[in-house]
Amino acid sequence: MSTNNNEREVILSIRHVDISFDIGKKKKFKAVKDASFDIYRGETFALVGESGSGKTTLGRAAIRINPCSAGEILFNGERISGKISRKQDRNVIRNIQMIFQDPAASLNERATIEYCISEGLYNFHLYKDEEDRIAKVDKALEDVGLLPEHKSRYPHEFSGGQRQRVGIARAMIMEPQLIIADEPISALDVSIRAQILNLMNKLKKEKNLTYLFIAHDLSVVRFIADRIAVIHLGKIVEIAESEDLFRYPVHPYTISLLSAVPMPDPIIEKQRDSIVYTKEEDDPEASPREMREIRPGHFVYANDEDMVAFEERLKKLELYNAENQ
Amino acid sequence: MINFLKKHMFDKYRLDKDFGKNPEETVSPEEEVAVNEDELFCQAEFDEKKSEIIAAPRYSYWKSVWKTFVGSKMNIAVSILVIFIVAFSFIYPSFSNYDPMDAPYINDASRKYLAPSAEHIFGTDDIGNEVFDVVWEGARNSLIVSLAATAIDMIVGIIVGAIWGFSKKMDKWMIEIYNVISNVPFLLIAMILSYILGNGFGPLIFTMTVTDWIFVAYFIRTQVMIIRDREYNLASKCLGTSTWTMVTKNILPYLISVIMTYISRQVPALISYEVFLSYMGLGLGMQYASLGRTISNYTSYMRGYPHLFWIPVSILAIISISLYIVGQKLADAADPRTHR
Ligand SMILES: Nc1ncnc2c1ncn2[C@@H]1O[C@H](COP(=O)(O)OP(=O)(O)OP(=O)(O)O)[C@@H](O)[C@H]1O
Ligand SMILES: [Mg+2]
């Protein structure tokens, strides 16, 4: 896809994926349209967009909960969308795990923490004997900063942050390669968000993980993501390296998202006011848009006319950034 | 900061100590005590793990159900009543020598239609039998039939309903079967079956359950559908959990309370069912007493000898209501929201 990333190994490749839901009889709602991006092994790739933009839908397509209506998804070079063998399906489950948005809803309230964490171990028989399983559960609890005596507790006895750590432990115990974290901190109290992010970063380093990190707020991902994709109404509008996106945001929707982040940057501050973002998709006269590389590794959804405006904006930003270096 | 604290502490110290003393005699704070700062402020050891400890006593679901249930005196009283009635109706008939096919006092006019008294607790009936014996024999048989039918209904209904709720394919044709069965008059099925199968425990229980299970299954299906797509089930799916394990570990434990509620309505409903069928002559048959048959036999004496009618009816009501209350209270206790 990009020049400077050629040497890196692609772990997950989303290629022209459409995802639609049936609503009523014969009616379809396209929640994700023509999404394409690659995630490289070892990176944290963030998917950012407002509520209802299709982030969860796309993330769930990667673990085969949502079927793709067009396009394909490759994991380690093999297709995992559509009909696949049972062996391949089990392989996907083992190697791609999910951390859920709402820690209150994603744990089985009638099962002990021990069962919640062991569930994957049981399903894949990933332990030699009972002793080994207990040891693994204890280790997983310890990894996320919980105590072995929590095993016999029930989820409702835990705080939100603790529950989310149980959710993380349950995913980690499978020793996956890729973790899809669907807004793992948005349901948590502000005071413990950093704790969970730090924990996820620590585990990533220790276990050589790759993250697809879903968030609706750019400020959250700035410090943990290597690359960021911005999704708007099911369309990916801009993909760039994290710092690049913050320094050279070109797509108007990205800029409007940045308004949620306080920016000590007069140019962007000014642009915020001057740019009213209209739904470009609705304009039937515009020539078709596609993802175009505007800077090395920086893609934006645009057509020829857009490119002119975007490049002009980019020049201004480059000038500004050079002055303020 | 420390100096400030020291100063204030010493000021206070001096005030207390020097109260009522001559100012000249007081010693200056500097000379008085050399306070060791380490003693005043020792660093509290920060243990991150400590903040994770849960202080609440260990929670166990079934223990909490039990505690909540026995926490109410009314629950205990009604439970004792139920246990007593059930035990009595199972034990007493084996001592009473009552045989519905036999009428030993039929020619003894002095034993007929006696009102309840110390000698004849519930009085005697039209053929000189003890109503007490007849009623308990009948209660036992009615309980056997309704408990067996409830067990069969619930077991078949829960298993079928759980799979039905999960499988979209199965839902399509099960709904059709459900629609057909729920529109066929039950009495028609009961009549046909009773002609084919005859009377007795087996045929009656079969007749009562042959279509009834589908209502249980439909109820369970709806409940399963409600919680099937909850996020924790999605999480289990992402961990590779099989559908069967999902049913037993993720779904049914959530349904304990509603299933208890259902049972608490089902047992009394099936007792009335039995009464109704026996009343219509489709029940257990002549050789067995049952509450339904007893009531139907005695109905004609409602005017002349009201005890003959009202005693079995009251026993029926007491059994049904107390079983219902215990079931409801158990269902309440099984709902974790009532646990403290
Ligand atoms: N099962 C479904 N059936 C029909 N429509 C759906 C379904 N799931 C999601 N959608 C629709 O798809 C769109 C995208 O939903 P999605 O859950 O992916 O949003 P999101 O970006 O994750 O939002 P949030 O930040 O609120 O979690 C929404 O408009 C939603 O209504
Ligand atoms: Mg979402």
Side-chain angles (χ1 to χ4, degrees):
Chain A
M1 202 162 158
S2 97
T3 43
N4 60 344
N5 280 320
N6 266 348
E7 333 74 61
R8 301 176 66 188
E9 187 193 346
V10 173
I11 185 165
L12 187 81
S13 179
I14 309 265
R15 297 199 177 157
H16 304 290
V17 165
D18 282 1
I19 301 162
S20 22
F21 294 110
D22 295 329
I23 43 168
K25 287 208 167 115
K26 282 179 188 153
K27 254 198 178 166
K28 289 212 174 209
F29 169 72
K30 236 188 206 183
V32 173
K33 298 160 211 142
D34 194 26
S36 292
F37 56 83
D38 287 343
I39 299 178
Y40 300 106
R41 189 178 291 281
E43 77 171 341
T44 299
F45 185 92
L47 186 60
V48 179
E50 66 196 24
S51 188
S53 54
K55 309 179 296 291
T56 300
T57 308
L58 189 53
R60 285 183 179 176
I63 43 169
R64 300 180 48 75
I65 292 177
N66 292 337
C68 305
S69 49
E72 57 179 6
I73 300 176
L74 308 182
F75 178 64
N76 287 332
E78 287 182 61
R79 184 174 60 85
I80 57 166
S81 56
K83 262 214 159 75
I84 59 172
S85 69
R86 185 177 154 76
K87 196 170 150 247
Q88 180 69 291
D89 186 50
R90 302 289 281 178
N91 181 39
V92 170
I93 292 172
R94 268 225 55 188
N95 289 306
I96 309 181
Q97 275 297 314
M98 184 132 186
I99 297 171
F100 287 85
Q101 180 165 357
D102 184 357
S106 59
L107 293 176
N108 183 353
E109 295 284 338
R110 302 294 158 82
T112 57
I113 296 305
E114 178 177 349
Y115 178 78
C116 289
I117 294 181
S118 303
E119 204 168 339
L121 295 182
Y122 284 129
N123 294 334
F124 288 85
H125 217 84
L126 299 176
Y127 53 96
K128 283 194 289 291
D129 46 24
E130 269 303 284
E131 215 174 294
D132 186 36
R133 184 181 62 80
I134 304 267
K136 281 191 164 170
V137 172
D138 285 352
K139 175 76 176 52
L141 281 170
E142 192 193 310
D143 278 349
V144 297
L146 295 172
L147 306 170
E149 57 253 45
H150 287 148
K151 280 203 299 291
S152 57
R153 297 282 184 174
Y154 285 82
H156 74 254
E157 299 176 85
F158 289 79
S159 69
Q162 287 175 320
R163 282 168 183 236
Q164 195 57 301
R165 281 184 277 159
V166 173
I168 294 173
R170 155 175 84 175
M172 295 294 173
I173 207 166
M174 302 288 280
E175 297 173 356
Q177 299 175 18
L178 172 68
I179 288 198
I180 297 167
D182 186 1
E183 307 198 31
I185 57 167
S186 63
L188 300 179
D189 193 89
V190 181
S191 60
I192 49 170
R193 288 184 174 179
Q195 183 195 23
I196 297 292
L197 286 184
N198 289 338
L199 172 66
M200 287 180 64
N201 264 342
K202 184 193 97 178
L203 291 169
K204 185 190 162 200
K205 284 201 198 90
E206 283 172 13
K207 297 176 194 281
N208 263 329
L209 295 164
T210 306
Y211 284 140
L212 168 55
F213 192 99
I214 296 173
H216 60 243
D217 181 352
L218 272 171
S219 65
V220 169
V221 298
R222 180 169 197 173
F223 303 102
I224 59 156
D226 299 306
R227 289 192 304 138
I228 299 174
V230 176
I231 183 168
H232 175 59
L233 297 176
K235 274 290 335 157
I236 295 195
V237 295
E238 195 162 359
I239 303 177
E241 305 227 332
S242 180
E243 268 319 294
D244 217 53
L245 190 83
F246 277 88
R247 287 162 70 100
Y248 310 109
V250 289
H251 196 278
Y253 179 68
T254 311
I255 294 168
S256 75
L257 263 193
L258 282 170
S259 65
V261 188
M263 292 283 289
D265 187 333
I267 287 200
I268 293 174
E269 204 62 65
K270 230 196 248 156
Q271 280 173 338
R272 258 181 219 173
D273 305 332
S274 58
I275 291 167
V276 180
Y277 184 59
T278 50
K279 285 188 205 164
E280 292 169 37
E281 284 96 315
D282 293 349
D283 184 1
E285 250 120 82
S287 55
R289 294 183 168 86
E290 57 183 1
M291 290 309 279
R292 297 184 177 202
E293 192 162 14
I294 192 165
R295 273 170 62 87
H298 188 148
F299 297 82
V300 64
Y301 183 64
N303 56 22
D304 289 339
E305 295 100 82
D306 294 337
M307 273 316 257
V308 176
F310 290 171
E311 256 154 17
E312 196 179 321
R313 185 174 301 150
L314 184 65
K315 269 201 199 97
K316 272 195 213 155
L317 284 164
E318 270 169 351
L319 209 69
Y320 172 81
N321 282 322
E323 275 172 14
N324 289 274
Q325 208 75 76
Chain B
M1 180 70 184
I2 287 176
N3 282 338
F4 171 81
L5 269 176
K6 248 189 199 168
K7 187 163 168 272
H8 273 259
M9 283 178 70
F10 286 139
D11 282 353
K12 185 165 177 282
Y13 187 55
R14 192 164 60 191
L15 276 178
D16 292 346
K17 204 178 148 202
D18 302 341
F19 185 68
K21 272 193 186 170
N22 191 336
E24 274 99 273
E25 285 173 20
T26 56
V27 261
S28 69
E30 284 77 26
E31 294 166 38
E32 199 183 37
V33 222
V35 171
N36 186 354
E37 270 176 30
D38 290 348
E39 277 170 27
L40 266 180
F41 301 96
C42 80
Q43 185 147 18
E45 236 172 273
F46 179 67
D47 184 359
E48 230 177 80
K49 296 272 170 198
K50 263 187 192 157
S51 64
E52 306 294 349
I53 290 172
I54 297 176
R58 219 149 274 278
Y59 175 84
S60 145
Y61 176 73
W62 290 109
K63 225 183 251 169
S64 302
V65 171
W66 176 248
K67 264 201 205 133
T68 311
F69 185 75
V70 298
S72 147
K73 286 205 178 84
M74 148 107 169
N75 289 356
I76 298 175
V78 183
S79 308
I80 290 172
L81 180 67
V82 164
I83 292 168
F84 178 78
I85 290 174
V86 172
F88 193 77
S89 58
F90 274 85
I91 295 166
Y92 178 74
S94 40
F95 294 105
S96 69
N97 307 320
Y98 169 70
D99 178 0
M101 301 301 279
D102 199 11
Y105 308 108
I106 192 143
N107 294 320
D108 186 351
S110 66
R111 271 193 68 111
K112 288 183 184 174
Y113 306 120
L114 292 179
S117 65
E119 212 173 318
H120 310 282
I121 304 174
F122 285 173
T124 58
D125 66 6
D126 50 346
I127 49 173
N129 281 329
E130 289 286 340
V131 175
F132 195 76
D133 295 358
V134 180
V135 164
W136 289 111
E137 173 86 14
R140 185 192 65 179
N141 291 340
S142 292
L143 275 172
I144 289 175
V145 168
S146 69
L147 291 176
T150 303
I152 293 170
D153 269 357
M154 294 314 291
I155 291 169
V156 177
I158 289 171
I159 292 173
V160 174
I163 304 169
W164 184 1
F166 256 98
S167 161
K168 287 192 177 105
K169 248 186 261 159
M170 185 175 169
D171 192 44
K172 282 201 186 97
W173 49 268
M174 276 304 281
I175 280 289
E176 296 306 322
I177 295 177
Y178 173 78
N179 286 339
V180 171
I181 289 181
S182 56
N183 281 308
V184 175
F186 169 74
L187 199 57
L188 192 69
I189 298 174
M191 266 156 61
I192 294 169
L193 282 175
S194 118
Y195 284 124
I196 298 171
L197 301 171
N199 291 323
F201 279 95
L204 179 62
I205 293 170
F206 182 78
T207 306
M208 287 166 80
T209 53
V210 67
T211 55
D212 206 37
W213 63 270
I214 203 163
F215 298 98
V216 183
Y218 183 77
F219 170 77
I220 296 293
R221 163 217 178 245
T222 314
Q223 297 295 319
V224 169
M225 283 180 142
I226 291 171
I227 54 176
R228 181 189 62 192
D229 294 327
R230 296 251 294 264
E231 204 158 273
Y232 73 94
N233 290 316
L234 218 57
S236 286
K237 213 174 149 195
C238 293
L239 290 162
T241 304
S242 68
T243 304
W244 181 247
T245 314
M246 295 257 266
V247 168
T248 54
K249 289 277 189 181
N250 291 18
I251 307 283
L252 289 184
Y254 277 77
L255 297 184
I256 291 171
S257 180
V258 287
I259 288 174
M260 278 309 301
T261 311
Y262 201 97
I263 292 176
S264 77
R265 274 182 286 155
Q266 189 76 344
V267 176
L270 287 181
I271 291 178
S272 338
Y273 230 16
E274 184 279 322
V275 170
F276 171 71
L277 287 178
S278 298
Y279 200 91
M280 302 295 293
L282 301 169
L284 279 174
M286 294 302 284
Q287 67 273 43
Y288 302 105
S290 83
L291 279 182
R293 225 165 63 79
T294 308
I295 292 168
S296 112
N297 284 349
Y298 291 167
T299 308
S300 40
Y301 306 109
M302 204 185 331
R303 286 276 166 83
Y305 307 99
H307 73 274
L308 281 184
F309 176 76
W310 289 110
I311 284 172
V313 167
S314 313
I315 295 291
L316 172 67
I318 291 170
I319 291 176
S320 289
I321 293 170
S322 59
L323 276 174
Y324 176 76
I325 292 175
V326 169
Q328 287 288 312
K329 294 296 174 186
L330 270 176
D332 282 351
D335 185 344
R337 276 170 293 194
T338 64
H339 299 171
R340 267 157 297 132

